[in-house]
Amino acid sequence: VIVLGLYVAKKDEKTIKRVFLWLWIVLIILEPSKILWETITGKAVYFEVGGILPLYPCSIFLYALPLAIWGNKTVRYMGCGYVCSLGLLGGAINFFYPANVLSNYSCISLAGFHTLFYHASIVFCALVMLRSGYHSYTKAEKCSHLLLPAVPALVVSVVANGVNFSPIDSDYMFFKLESFFFAPLGAATPDWLSVILVYGIYLLIHALPYLPSYIKRQMQKTTAPATSKTL
């Protein structure tokens, strides 16, 4: 993934967009294929609406990548911002703590292959974006630029929480903190507080890579007038 990412990052923007597009098409085809496979031949042979829908933090990649490919300046910033923050973090974590899928399925299965290929694709796209200059952490000039990367996640969260607090009672995007190592915290907090905490964490994760550049710009703005006056 790293070698291929560095190779593609040397190409022109048109080629990079073409690679992103074909990768997105493959992932779009694989997603329903994986859902159908798990529904028909998985460990639990039924449509698990409370856990199989693409409403997880890394699922947002499916919706954000088109923004990064076709969006104008602001929309592209949103798409790339997600990929290079929450997306990159989630994609990387999957290789160290792949509990969501690989705790139930072998790597040598459609579901196992899908999760490895999917999360590798996120890491690959983030690497290409950052290495090629397609996107940069240094472009946060205003406070709103710290919030824009979180927009795709915030939009998907509306649907995720709609399902979470429906009779389906799921934990998409981990808003109820009932999954994995979050469970002890979720058990100790009411749902409304868990939702607020998770929203805060998501906003922080998206903004964090851009904060150093933003703070530096703000410091330069405040010191520039004083320097000019002194001169």
Side-chain angles (χ1 to χ4, degrees), residues 57-125:
C58 289
S59 302
I60 302 166
F61 181 62
L62 292 173
Y63 319 120
L65 191 55
L67 305 182
I69 298 172
W70 292 298
N72 59 21
K73 184 177 180 181
T74 301
V75 175
R76 172 167 157 171
Y77 188 90
M78 292 178 188
C80 292
Y82 160 80
V83 176
C84 295
S85 55
L86 180 62
L88 177 58
L89 178 63
I93 286 177
N94 183 73
F95 292 98
F96 297 98
Y97 187 72
N100 192 30
V101 175
L102 296 183
S103 59
N104 295 316
Y105 297 106
S106 164
C107 293
I108 310 173
S109 67
L110 180 59
F113 164 77
H114 175 268
T115 192
L116 291 174
F117 182 78
Y118 185 93
H119 291 89
S121 298
I122 301 177
V123 175
F124 166 79
C125 288

Side-chain angles (χ1 to χ4, degrees), residues 116-163:
L116 291 174
F117 182 78
Y118 185 93
H119 291 89
S121 298
I122 301 177
V123 175
F124 166 79
C125 288
L127 179 60
V128 172
M129 289 177 181
L130 295 172
R131 183 67 178 177
S132 66
Y134 194 92
H135 186 67
S136 174
Y137 293 138
T138 63
K139 295 182 178 181
E141 300 177 357
K142 301 181 292 184
C143 185
S144 60
H145 291 166
L146 299 176
L147 301 175
L148 285 177
V151 171
L154 295 177
V155 172
V156 175
S157 74
V158 175
V159 181
N161 276 322
V163 178

